């Protein structure tokens, strides 16, 4: 009869459901799998970090960040804290790192501000389950994205890292606001601590046009810098970099920022391949016009690609490289994959006329972070 015929189907569906429940990985299983791929990095010497009158640390200012053409929104950067109190510049720094693979090479990824930029500085890595230090050599750093890549210096260190499973990069473009996420790090020297929260916002460009960030409320404190921000599958969606906290606050208040995995992965690969990250610019400064809801060109670098293309002050930016410019985040998206020497189309509004300009970009220089 019909019931007899349906029984095998019901049994099969029950077996399938039961099997799925059995093999599904719980969060604690994911943590157990991921944490051994996270490490601790200590470095000396480190860059001096400024402290303002309120005893609030501010990020180490790079030459790129000091260029006036970078501060295109004329915003106050003074509330961007590195987690925790200002370190003694004569002491070593400590941060979090994690293992990734590129080709047949396993490397350690962390923040630039954790290791500094001194290639002969003493960098040591401590892996999970041990307190032994293994010397690490700095491959290269990228100050704009705050990413650094290290490799193990000794045969013993190389053998250890080869035994560690690499973390996988997720596509950060797929990260959703409100998504559950978590982090591993060493806050306040509490090694291999797990914290959990949600994505507050994806795609902020707080420090630089080229530094795409995920904002989260995952607890991040001093010692978390350079560690992985992860989705619930244990894939890296970001590299924890800095926090914002009000003056006088002793620690994080749930406004934390991580370099997106898509940017970090691209930077890591370029640092390994060439030792630097190629970025393009067109050489202008702009600001928001709230009444128009548009961005207006406020200044042009003399002899810049924009000036040569005929863009003028008081022009409004409508579209860059096929991207509608509605938010400042859109400018970063428009430039993320542009290489120096590429020609891009820029649509401007001058008066009541839409004008198309073709701009041939140039490379940003060592002290030049202009758009």
């Amino acid at each position: 009869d019909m019931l007899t015929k349906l029984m095998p189907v019901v049994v099969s569906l029950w077996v399938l459901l039961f099997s799925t429940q059995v093999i599904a990985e719980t969060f604690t299983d994911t943590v157990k799998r991921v944490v051994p791929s996270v490490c601790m990095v200590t470095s000396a010497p480190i860059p001096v970090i400024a402290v303002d009158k309120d005893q609030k640390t501010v990020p180490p200012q790079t030459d790129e960040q000091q260029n006036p053409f970078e501060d295109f929104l004329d915003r106050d950067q003074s509330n961007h804290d590195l987690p925790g109190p200002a370190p003694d510049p004569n002491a070593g720094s400590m941060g979090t790192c994690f293992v990734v693979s590129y080709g047949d090479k396993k490397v350690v990824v962390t923040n630039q501000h954790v290791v500094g930029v001194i290639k002969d500085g003493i960098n040591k890595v401590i892996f999970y389950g041990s307190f032994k230090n293994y010397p690490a050599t700095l491959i290269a750093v990228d100050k704009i994205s705050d990413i650094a890549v290290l490799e193990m210096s000794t045969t013993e260190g190389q053998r250890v890292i080869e035994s560690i499973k690499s973390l996988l990069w997720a596509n950060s473009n797929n990260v959703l606001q409100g998504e559950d996420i978590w982090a591993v790090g060493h806050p306040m020297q509490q090694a291999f601590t797990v914290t959990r929260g949600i994505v507050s916002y994806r795609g902020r460009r707080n420090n630089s046009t080229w530094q795409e960030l995920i904002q989260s409320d995952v607890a991040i404190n001093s010692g978390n810098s350079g560690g992985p921000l992860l989705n619930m599958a244990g894939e890296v969606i970001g590299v924890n970099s800095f926090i914002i906290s009000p003056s006088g606050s002793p620690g994080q208040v749930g406004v934390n920022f991580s370099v997106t995995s898509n940017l970090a992965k691209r930077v890591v690969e370029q640092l390994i391949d060439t030792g630097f990250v190629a970025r393009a610019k067109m050489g202008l400064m702009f600001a928001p016009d709230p009444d128009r809801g548009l961005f207006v060109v406020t200044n042009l670098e003399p002899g810049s690609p924009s000036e040569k293309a005929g863009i003028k002050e008081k022009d409004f930016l409508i579209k860059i490289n096929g991207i509608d410019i509605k938010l400042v985040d859109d400018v970063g998206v428009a430039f993320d994959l542009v290489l120096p020497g590429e020609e891009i189309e820029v649509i401007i509004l001058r008066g009541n006329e839409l004008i198309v300009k073709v701009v041939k970009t140039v490379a940003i220089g060592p002290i030049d972070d202009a758009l």
Side-chain angles (χ1 to χ4, degrees):
D1 61 351
M2 182 61 68
L3 181 59
T4 303
K5 293 180 180 180
L6 287 175
M7 281 300 294
V9 177
V10 173
V11 171
S12 298
L13 289 173
W14 182 84
V15 171
L16 178 62
L17 178 63
F18 180 79
S19 300
T20 303
Q21 291 175 335
V22 169
I23 65 174
E25 187 176 58
T26 66
F27 178 59
T28 54
D29 291 334
T30 305
V31 169
K32 185 177 180 180
R33 171 171 58 83
V34 167
V35 168
S37 300
V38 179
C39 46
M40 180 184 294
V41 59
T42 60
S43 302
I46 63 171
V48 175
I49 298 178
V51 183
D52 70 9
K53 65 181 185 303
D54 297 314
Q55 295 300 304
K56 181 164 60 70
T57 60
V58 295
Q61 291 295 303
T62 66
D63 289 335
E64 289 82 2
Q65 291 172 327
Q66 292 170 347
N67 189 287
F69 279 86
E70 164 52 25
D71 197 14
F72 48 78
L73 289 184
D74 194 27
R75 55 186 145 201
D76 179 11
Q77 298 289 342
S78 64
N79 65 340
H80 285 194
D81 292 355
L82 289 177
D88 178 354
N90 298 315
S93 66
M94 185 275 288
T96 307
C97 53
F98 58 97
V99 177
V100 300
S101 293
Y102 178 52
D104 59 354
K105 190 181 189 69
K106 284 189 176 180
V107 296
V108 166
V109 174
T110 188
N111 282 152
Q112 175 268 325
H113 79 254
V114 170
V115 300
V117 296
I118 303 173
K119 286 206 170 189
D120 58 357
I122 302 171
N123 299 300
K124 294 185 178 180
V125 173
I126 300 172
F127 293 106
Y128 181 75
S130 172
F131 59 85
K132 181 171 182 176
N133 288 312
Y134 294 93
T137 302
L138 191 62
I139 294 177
V141 301
D142 180 55
K143 292 187 283 186
I144 292 177
S145 64
D146 194 21
I147 295 296
V149 186
L150 301 97
E151 61 185 349
M152 305 316 297
S153 305
T154 64
T155 302
E156 183 182 12
Q158 292 169 2
R159 185 166 58 249
V160 173
I161 198 172
E162 283 301 320
S163 69
I164 295 173
K165 187 174 182 179
S166 299
L167 294 184
L168 299 178
W169 298 105
N171 183 348
S172 52
N173 288 340
N174 295 333
V175 171
L176 300 175
Q177 193 170 30
E179 179 179 342
D180 287 332
I181 53 174
W182 57 293
V184 186
H186 319 299
M188 309 299 182
Q189 299 186 356
Q190 303 306 301
F192 300 99
T193 296
V194 171
T195 53
R196 184 170 171 176
I198 63 168
V199 173
S200 303
Y201 190 95
R202 177 182 63 81
R204 294 210 189 278
R205 308 268 175 163
N206 288 6
N207 287 335
S208 166
T209 308
W210 293 275
Q211 190 191 44
E212 184 185 36
L213 301 164
I214 293 173
Q215 179 187 335
S216 77
D217 69 352
V218 176
I220 302 294
N221 285 285
S222 177
N224 277 106
S225 292
L229 188 70
L230 303 128
N231 61 22
M232 299 311 290
E235 300 165 328
V236 179
I237 62 169
V239 181
N240 300 321
S241 185
F242 67 95
I243 70 173
I244 291 179
S245 60
S247 180
S249 173
Q252 71 90 26
V253 291
V255 187
N256 312 312
F257 296 89
S258 310
V259 179
T260 61
S261 57
N262 285 6
L263 171 59
K265 180 176 183 289
R266 190 164 65 245
V267 167
V268 166
E269 292 176 356
Q270 289 188 55
L271 291 179
I272 294 173
D273 286 341
T274 65
F276 69 98
V277 179
R279 291 185 175 92
K281 68 166 187 175
M282 58 183 188
L284 61 79
M285 182 176 179
F286 63 93
D289 182 336
D291 294 329
R292 298 289 296 270
L294 299 171
F295 290 96
V296 60
V297 176
T298 59
N299 210 337
L300 297 163
E301 287 185 311
S304 67
S306 292
E307 186 180 69
K308 292 178 180 178
I311 296 175
K312 299 179 180 180
E313 292 181 14
K314 298 184 180 180
D315 287 342
F316 290 97
L317 299 171
I318 304 302
K319 184 175 288 191
I320 299 175
N321 196 27
I323 302 297
D324 292 325
I325 307 303
K326 297 179 179 179
L327 300 170
V328 68
D329 302 346
D330 299 325
V331 179
V333 174
F335 267 85
D336 277 343
L337 302 179
V338 177
L339 295 175
E342 287 188 13
E343 291 186 343
I344 61 173
E345 185 179 88
V346 180
I347 299 178
I348 59 172
L349 176 65
R350 182 178 297 166
N352 295 319
E353 182 183 6
L354 286 175
I355 303 172
V356 178
K357 298 291 187 180
V358 176
V359 180
K360 186 174 182 179
T361 64
V362 296
I364 68 170
I367 56 171
D368 183 4
D369 195 13
L371 172 61

